[in-house]
Amino acid sequence: MVVLTELELLPGSSSSSSIHDHTHRYDVFLSFRGADTRNRFTAHLYKALVEANYDTFLDDEEIETGEPLKPELESAIQSSRASVIVMSKNYASSTWCLDELVLILQQQKKFNQFVIPIFYDVEPTHVRKQQNSFGEAIAKHKKRMEEEINAEKRSEWAQKIESWRMALTEVAGLKGNDAKDKNETEFIEEVVADIRRRLAVPLRDTPSLFIGMGYYINEVTSWLTDGSCHTADILTIVGIGGIGKTSLAKYVFQLHSYKFHKSSFIEGINTRCNDHSYELPNLQKQLHKVISKRTPLPVVDDVSKKVFIVLDDIGNLKQLDDLLGNKGLYPGSKIIVTTKDASFTEKCSLNNPQVQPNHTKIILKGLDEYESLELLCIHAFNSHMPEEGYENVSKELAQYCDGHPLALQVLGRSLQKEDVTYWEDRIRVLNKEPHSDIKNVLRMSFDSLSFRNDKELFKHIACFFVGTNADLTKTVLEACGIKTTHGMRNLINRCLLSIGWENELMMHSLIQEMGRDLVRQEYPEKPWKRSRLWRHEESFKVMKMKKVPLGGSRTNLNLVIQTH
């Protein structure tokens, strides 16, 4: 299970906020021999890691004193998620480097710290067997031990040398990166990519990701590590646009993909296919190249090893069928599909008597009021709490967002360093017109509806029937010529609608506002020409002007009056 301990404490946060006892302060600790690589390779690697947003510890001490490892170095190693060890020619001549190496390997055993050795102009065999410069360095340390007069210190030296030799042998056997005969820039890019694959999200990016997501991360991780040997184990992550589907899938993929023989994360499939008609065949080839050496297509039918595939933002059944095929995968493989429509994985070609996929579904919900306020404050104030004087407007804006992560992020960032009056004005505008960036993301689910009947049904419900009994709504709308049985199921599959415990129709407030805005934009300045009216002031204004809503009937206007 994922332990959400990688949150760096922000101002106003509590030590009990999902923080494990072993708190991390750095993403990466760099262990290197300064004389060999400080001003060259290590400096370039450090710069690349920082630019990739990874908090990286690099000791700026040039001269080694010969004393035991500095406390700040010990602390940095112990509070890092990963250690990169640059094994260079004179690495073993430094007792500090060797002490760092021993401590790093201890952290790997105790706390699963990622350890990534880089063999820079040295052979792994020489490290493992302490040959060439490594053998010479150990010999010098032995000579120093033999010259020690004090028996107790001589014994300490012997123990240290033995631990150093064991550590060198061990680190040479780890999966690492060899810089031999490689372009340095390209090699550093490979190292950063390796770190990104292992660490996933940098510490400084984790606060906003993990708020309210702990349960889902644990659920997906539990499913990934359940030991299933099924040939078609599929997890569908469903939710409205901007709710966090891609972020969740990407984090879990980067955290666990190394455990599989092959893995592939294909992001934004629907958008890419809509933008370019030729993109789906390209995605097939991309997936085939990553996870299988066999030909021909369909893509994953011939995979002979355990694979992990994430298909992000599937927009229709054809996309899923063309990418997955119908024959299943190697036992133990895992497939994650993120989509706004839960029905696709239930209808895809993989659902056949020969394969009978093991299908799990997770529906992402919005954040609660406390999580919403915290996420808003992170983006607006870089704190877990509102700044003084902003308490009321922060709560009001968080309430408007109704737990939607993207809305909280977009609005929080747009209001950074603005005064309270500006916040109040923005909230008044939002109550009349949704933010375009948020509206465009949410509208994708509406645009994916295939039938005009379903789109009209959605607008009817958004304008008039949220909170109304589902059976009553069906009766009214069926009388108006709207087909509700199939239509409501489509809306529910796309997370545009849900039904509560008391059979009432429920809709996320931003989804409802998006639906109403679709009607509003028909005639922004002429409400009497719109297909629907729901605001009291507009309704009475139209009645007073003796205007008739578009379509020549007062039916929709009467509905508003009777349902308020």
Side-chain angles (χ1 to χ4, degrees):
M1 303 289 279
V2 173
V3 181
L4 300 181
T5 65
E6 297 164 358
L7 274 169
E8 187 173 32
L9 291 176
L10 292 174
S13 67
S14 167
S15 60
S16 62
S17 301
S18 301
I19 302 295
H20 188 272
D21 290 339
H22 189 69
T23 305
H24 295 116
R25 289 191 291 123
Y26 302 102
D27 290 301
V28 179
F29 178 90
L30 288 179
S31 177
F32 63 99
R33 184 71 170 103
D36 287 351
T37 65
R38 176 184 295 280
N39 298 320
R40 297 181 294 142
F41 175 79
T42 298
H44 300 154
L45 176 59
Y46 175 78
K47 183 174 182 288
L49 289 169
V50 171
E51 288 177 349
N53 227 22
Y54 288 103
D55 290 325
T56 305
F57 183 92
L58 180 144
D59 183 30
D60 57 5
E61 182 68 57
E62 291 281 0
I63 302 173
E64 183 176 332
T65 63
E67 297 297 319
L69 196 61
K70 294 188 299 184
E72 54 265 38
L73 289 177
E74 290 189 19
S75 176
I77 292 171
Q78 291 167 346
S79 59
S80 294
R81 302 164 68 199
S83 286
V84 174
I85 304 164
V86 183
M87 282 287 168
S88 58
K89 183 178 179 181
N90 296 300
Y91 184 91
S93 66
S94 165
T95 58
W96 273 6
C97 287
L98 293 172
D99 284 342
E100 287 175 4
L101 177 62
V102 171
L103 182 55
I104 286 168
L105 294 176
Q106 289 174 354
Q107 291 297 114
Q108 182 192 41
K109 293 182 178 70
K110 292 181 180 179
F111 301 107
N112 294 319
Q113 183 182 103
F114 292 110
V115 178
I116 304 171
I118 293 174
F119 301 100
Y120 189 81
D121 290 340
V122 298
E123 295 291 337
T125 302
H126 296 165
V127 178
R128 182 183 301 109
K129 297 182 179 180
Q130 288 95 64
Q131 295 175 339
N132 289 19
S133 63
F134 288 85
E136 294 168 5
I138 293 296
K140 288 181 180 178
H141 297 317
K142 279 186 175 181
K143 183 178 179 182
R144 184 175 175 181
M145 174 195 69
E146 292 166 354
E147 292 173 349
E148 178 60 58
I149 301 173
N150 186 295
E152 185 176 346
K153 289 186 177 180
R154 191 164 56 250
S155 175
E156 290 176 0
W157 266 103
Q159 292 175 16
K160 270 183 171 290
I161 291 172
E162 181 60 25
S163 67
W164 294 339
R165 296 191 64 166
M166 291 175 62
L168 288 168
T169 300
E170 183 177 346
V171 76
L174 297 178
K175 182 180 179 181
N177 299 272
D178 195 340
K180 186 177 181 180
D181 298 329
K182 292 184 178 179
N183 176 278
E184 184 170 295
T185 301
E186 294 177 356
F187 179 66
I188 287 176
E189 289 176 357
E190 290 178 14
V191 174
V192 174
D194 187 19
I195 291 169
R196 184 179 289 112
R197 179 178 63 83
R198 301 197 197 200
L199 294 187
V201 183
L203 278 174
R204 64 180 64 189
D205 292 345
T206 56
S208 58
L209 171 63
F210 285 156
I211 291 174
M213 296 295 283
Y215 169 79
Y216 298 116
I217 293 174
N218 287 337
E219 285 294 299
V220 178
T221 298
S222 179
W223 171 81
L224 266 176
T225 57
D226 63 4
S228 168
C229 290
H230 203 285
T231 59
D233 212 354
I234 305 175
L235 172 69
T236 306
I237 302 176
V238 187
I240 60 176
I243 203 71
K245 303 182 296 295
T246 300
S247 296
L248 172 62
K250 186 178 294 185
Y251 177 78
V252 175
F253 176 83
Q254 292 174 326
L255 202 64
H256 295 283
S257 58
Y258 74 95
K259 299 175 183 176
F260 295 79
H261 292 108
K262 298 284 184 178
S263 60
S264 178
F265 186 107
I266 302 182
E267 187 172 354
I269 292 171
N270 192 50
T271 301
R272 294 163 68 175
C273 291
N274 288 340
D275 290 345
H276 303 286
S277 58
Y278 54 80
E279 187 66 17
L280 189 56
N282 289 342
L283 295 180
Q284 286 181 309
K285 293 175 183 176
Q286 176 186 334
L287 186 58
H288 182 265
K289 181 179 179 181
V290 170
I291 65 175
S292 175
K293 294 182 179 178
R294 302 187 182 189
T295 55
L297 299 175
V299 178
V300 299
D301 288 351
D302 294 322
V303 174
S304 57
K305 288 187 177 182
K306 187 170 69 169
V307 300
F308 179 22
I309 302 170
V310 176
L311 303 179
D312 173 58
D313 191 26
I314 289 291
N316 57 57
L317 201 54
K318 184 179 186 305
Q319 294 169 2
L320 196 58
D321 285 343
D322 286 357
L323 291 170
L324 283 186
N326 60 6
K327 295 183 181 178
L329 303 172
Y330 191 79
S333 296
K334 297 284 187 176
I335 304 167
I336 292 180
V337 174
T338 75
T339 180
K340 301 177 186 71
D341 191 330
S343 68
F344 294 149
T345 46
E346 297 167 357
K347 299 175 182 176
C348 69
S349 298
L350 213 52
N351 271 297
N352 60 68
Q354 288 73 35
V355 179
Q356 295 183 345
N358 181 20
H359 183 221
T360 306
K361 180 169 65 178
I362 291 180
I363 301 176
L364 295 193
K365 305 292 185 181
L367 309 178
D368 65 31
E369 59 179 308
Y370 302 106
E371 294 164 344
S372 297
L373 182 61
E374 185 179 7
L375 183 57
L376 176 68
C377 291
I378 284 175
H379 290 295
F381 309 117
N382 195 31
S383 169
H384 287 260
M385 300 190 316
E387 289 183 0
E388 185 177 354
Y390 288 80
E391 294 85 355
N392 291 334
V393 289
S394 297
K395 289 179 181 178
E396 188 175 353
L397 189 60
Q399 186 176 18
Y400 166 83
C401 294
D402 196 16
H404 191 271
L406 178 65
L408 292 160
Q409 174 185 321
V410 169
L411 295 176
R413 289 180 177 177
S414 70
L415 291 167
Q416 285 180 357
K417 303 186 184 307
E418 301 291 353
D419 59 31
V420 174
T421 302
Y422 188 91
W423 279 60
E424 292 171 341
D425 185 61
R426 176 62 66 87
I427 292 170
R428 283 192 291 268
V429 171
L430 288 170
N431 285 326
K432 293 183 179 181
E433 181 182 353
H435 191 287
S436 60
D437 290 345
I438 301 167
K439 179 180 67 176
N440 292 339
V441 170
L442 295 175
R443 182 166 173 165
M444 293 179 193
S445 295
F446 172 82
D447 290 339
S448 71
L449 293 169
S450 302
F451 301 102
R452 183 176 182 274
N453 175 87
D454 298 350
K455 292 183 176 182
E456 294 302 307
L457 173 62
F458 170 74
K459 288 188 278 190
H460 274 308
I461 295 174
C463 291
F464 306 129
F465 293 104
V466 173
T468 304
N469 180 274
D471 294 330
L472 173 61
T473 302
K474 288 180 180 178
T475 300
V476 173
L477 292 180
E478 289 282 348
C480 296
I482 300 292
K483 305 302 179 184
T484 60
T485 303
H486 181 267
M488 283 190 178
R489 185 183 305 139
N490 284 340
L491 297 184
I492 290 170
N493 282 337
R494 285 169 171 79
C495 299
L496 292 171
L497 182 70
S498 60
I499 298 179
W501 291 105
E502 298 181 359
N503 202 38
E504 76 278 16
L505 296 180
M506 300 172 66
M507 189 176 285
H508 191 283
S509 64
L510 294 181
I511 291 287
Q512 181 182 17
E513 181 56 31
M514 180 268 293
R516 290 181 168 187
D517 189 65
L518 290 171
V519 178
R520 189 186 296 116
Q521 294 306 315
E522 293 171 355
Y523 291 94
E525 304 301 327
K526 298 178 180 180
W528 61 88
K529 287 192 174 184
R530 297 176 196 158
S531 60
R532 299 162 180 83
L533 293 173
W534 61 92
R535 293 172 64 91
H536 285 159
E537 59 271 24
E538 289 180 340
S539 302
F540 286 116
K541 181 179 180 180
V542 170
M543 291 177 67
K544 189 175 181 179
M545 294 173 64
K546 297 183 180 180
K547 298 283 186 180
V548 178
L550 194 65
S553 169
R554 282 188 170 84
T555 303
N556 291 344
L557 181 59
N558 290 337
L559 281 171
V560 179
I561 296 172
Q562 291 173 9
T563 56
H564 282 272

